[in-house]
Amino acid sequence: MFTVIPQDAKINLQMLGGKAYHLWTAAGRLTSLIKPDSLVITTELFDDMKRVAKIDQLIEEMNAASGEDEERLRGLIVGRIREYSIPSYIVGIKAALDAHGLHVVRSSSVDEDHEDHSFAGMHDSFMGVTANSAEEMIKECWASLYSSRAIAYRKHLGLGISDAKMAVLIQQQLGIEKDGWSFYAGTAFSRDPVGLSPGSIIEVVAGLGETLVSGSVTPLYTIISSNNSYRVVTRGDQEYMTMCTSDGKVVRRDKIYDDLSGKNLNHMINIINHWLQRSRELGEVDIEWAVDIQEPWVVLHLLQARPLFVTDGLSNRVEPNSNRMMIGLSASPGVFEGPYSNNYDGEEVPCGKTHALISEHTTPNMLPSMLRAGAIATRIGGITCHAAIVGRELKIPVVVGVDQISMVTRSSDGNRIVIDGNRGTVWFPGTETQLHP
């Protein structure tokens, strides 16, 4: 019922789900890597849960429902999942989990981490999980398959919910605070997912990588690497980092690590480039990684690997006609010009394909507005953040890390904005009156 990674067994996507399957495949190619101890609760247990909890009929009824009826049925499904008792032989892995302290419990649905649809942020994962709480978190991962945002996303993609399955990937927790050690995390793309730069792209944050993929901070480093050399494209002003305490709490730290430079940075980039080169045997990929540093040791870990969704690069180009330019980072190519809706204060705003969406950053709960938007601009984030990934899937222009975007007024009031995902710029055509201090 569960599979330890790696293992000499005939495994497939339907058994392990997208996240665990792609990690297992990459690990098989990259025999020199170090990765956290991992195991997978396969989809066989999920199927058993559906049978015992008798939720198939409820799922069919939910498919045909809408509005309040759909939400009521969704609540019944989630309730039955939480009431399910995981068999004792699965709970028996508790001893194995106890031996490794804290864990990350991550969703691994069959449809996620696909080359055409990522399900970024749609399903739940949990950090700092103890062996005693692992069973509850496994069921919470399953329940997230039926969250409102996941169902809306599946409907947008034309994917059914009746046959959806989820495995659960359990990994040893990294990023636990230790005296004398520093910790960094990030992503690496075998080629620029925006299609604008040659070479591979690496993004780095101090602390846990969840701040990077959620878009809640701007990366500490964005690096382009090609032909055995690299250059730092941006040195971001990361505002804070998160770490895990020894008792499993994820905490914010305003003072970030600052020892990733010189030989440490060179060593890290060389190893990541080696991983990317070997991974190309599987096609273009992006990976999530983490690194522990205690001089003279630099220890890298592979956390995730998945097919890379690559956009077509430059589409149309426009010349700016305003000298009040806001500079950010290209996250999805294309150019949008039109009115905008400002979601900077987190309130729900009207948005449609004729409007751009402006925000501090985006979250999975903003998906309905994002699906309707014609373009997105955010104050913080990098090319791995939620806004960037979803924007590339939707094929709409996205610019992230635009510090001045916080000064854009809430309503367009008939004025227009240009979001240029090719250049990484945002401006107001023919006017300079739209910013306020």
Side-chain angles (χ1 to χ4, degrees):
M1 282 297 204
F2 64 91
T3 303
V4 179
I5 299 178
Q7 177 176 314
D8 184 16
K10 292 183 178 180
I11 56 92
N12 55 57
L13 179 65
Q14 292 293 320
M15 176 191 293
L16 299 187
K19 190 173 293 170
Y21 176 76
H22 294 305
L23 176 62
W24 187 92
T25 304
R29 297 278 183 174
L30 307 177
T31 54
S32 62
L33 62 80
I34 299 174
K35 62 176 184 57
D37 288 335
S38 308
L39 61 84
V40 180
I41 307 299
T42 69
T43 56
E44 292 172 302
L45 186 62
F46 179 85
D47 290 338
D48 181 74
M49 178 277 295
K50 287 183 70 178
R51 178 183 60 80
V52 173
K54 296 181 170 60
I55 62 173
D56 282 328
Q57 182 60 38
L58 291 176
I59 293 171
E60 292 299 327
E61 292 177 16
M62 183 180 66
N63 274 336
S66 60
E68 292 182 359
D69 283 342
E70 179 181 6
E71 186 61 21
R72 177 182 60 83
L73 290 163
R74 193 189 68 78
L76 291 174
I77 292 167
V78 170
R80 292 193 183 183
I81 291 173
R82 289 171 175 163
E83 292 169 359
Y84 171 75
S85 295
I86 292 181
S88 58
Y89 58 86
I90 291 294
V91 179
I93 65 173
K94 179 178 179 296
L97 298 181
D98 268 332
H100 291 90
L102 299 174
H103 301 83
V104 180
V105 178
R106 312 180 73 186
S107 67
S108 183
S109 81
V110 171
D111 295 310
E112 68 184 270
D113 284 352
H114 189 275
E115 59 186 3
D116 294 325
H117 40 77
S118 66
F119 278 79
M122 292 298 104
H123 303 135
D124 291 339
S125 294
F126 304 92
M127 292 187 287
V129 177
T130 64
N132 287 333
S133 60
E135 179 179 359
E136 177 187 354
M137 296 302 100
I138 290 169
K139 291 189 286 188
E140 288 302 312
C141 284
W142 288 339
S144 70
L145 188 65
Y146 304 103
S147 68
S148 297
R149 65 177 184 252
I151 291 171
Y153 184 71
R154 298 185 76 89
K155 287 181 177 179
H156 173 76
L157 296 171
L159 297 175
I161 189 66
S162 298
D163 296 328
K165 294 185 177 187
M166 181 178 286
V168 177
L169 173 64
I170 303 178
Q171 296 176 299
Q172 184 181 1
Q173 175 76 59
L174 301 177
I176 300 173
E177 291 180 312
K178 294 179 288 188
D179 289 341
W181 287 82
S182 57
F183 184 81
Y184 298 84
T187 57
F189 302 85
S190 59
R191 58 174 288 193
D192 180 5
V194 188
L196 301 178
S197 303
S200 56
I201 305 289
I202 301 170
E203 287 192 321
V204 185
V205 293
L208 295 169
E210 54 94 16
T211 57
L212 176 63
V213 297
S214 69
S216 57
V217 301
T218 297
L220 188 63
Y221 291 108
T222 301
I223 299 161
I224 294 180
S225 177
S226 64
N227 299 323
N228 297 317
S229 65
Y230 71 89
R231 59 188 175 94
V232 177
V233 181
T234 59
R235 175 66 161 84
D237 184 19
Q238 184 178 342
E239 298 173 346
Y240 68 93
M241 69 179 186
T242 58
M243 290 291 289
C244 188
T245 63
S246 59
D247 59 354
K249 293 183 176 65
V250 177
V251 294
R252 171 173 169 153
R253 302 298 187 208
D254 292 327
K255 179 176 175 57
I256 68 171
Y257 300 126
D258 60 359
D259 58 347
L260 185 61
S261 59
K263 63 180 182 180
N264 288 341
L265 186 61
N266 288 333
H267 184 54
M268 182 195 78
I269 292 173
N270 287 337
I271 295 176
I272 291 174
N273 278 332
H274 170 71
W275 289 356
L276 291 174
Q277 290 167 6
R278 292 293 307 276
S279 294
R280 282 195 180 98
E281 299 172 18
L282 307 173
E284 300 293 351
V285 296
D286 78 86
I287 63 175
E288 292 183 20
W289 52 269
V291 58
D292 287 301
I293 297 178
Q294 184 187 48
E295 294 287 358
W297 304 104
V298 178
V299 182
L300 267 94
H301 310 266
L302 178 68
L303 305 180
Q304 189 169 334
R306 56 193 163 235
L308 175 59
F309 180 87
V310 181
T311 55
D312 295 330
L314 293 176
S315 52
N316 55 321
R317 294 184 67 92
V318 297
E319 294 302 321
N321 63 350
S322 169
N323 58 17
R324 195 62 175 270
M325 184 80 65
M326 294 177 281
I327 307 298
L329 180 68
S330 298
S332 181
V335 179
F336 170 92
E337 179 177 345
Y340 61 88
S341 298
N342 188 329
N343 192 42
Y344 202 81
D345 54 11
E347 295 181 7
E348 183 64 26
V349 294
C351 195
K353 287 298 181 184
T354 59
H355 282 64
L357 177 64
I358 294 173
S359 185
E360 168 85 351
H361 63 102
T362 67
T363 68
N365 288 334
M366 293 172 62
L367 182 67
S369 294
M370 298 175 72
L371 293 176
R372 298 192 300 267
I376 300 171
T378 66
R379 186 183 74 83
I380 52 181
I383 61 173
T384 314
C385 73
H386 181 259
I389 294 173
V390 175
R392 290 194 291 270
E393 288 185 22
L394 298 177
K395 295 182 171 59
I396 60 174
V398 178
V399 179
V400 298
V402 187
D403 188 60
Q404 285 184 296
I405 206 73
S406 61
M407 296 189 292
V408 174
T409 54
R410 176 165 174 76
S411 172
S412 62
D413 293 327
N415 295 305
R416 302 171 74 79
I417 196 170
V418 175
I419 297 177
D420 188 343
N422 301 332
R423 299 174 184 267
T425 56
V426 178
W427 77 90
F428 296 94
T431 180
E432 299 181 19
T433 62
Q434 305 306 305
L435 301 184
H436 64 84

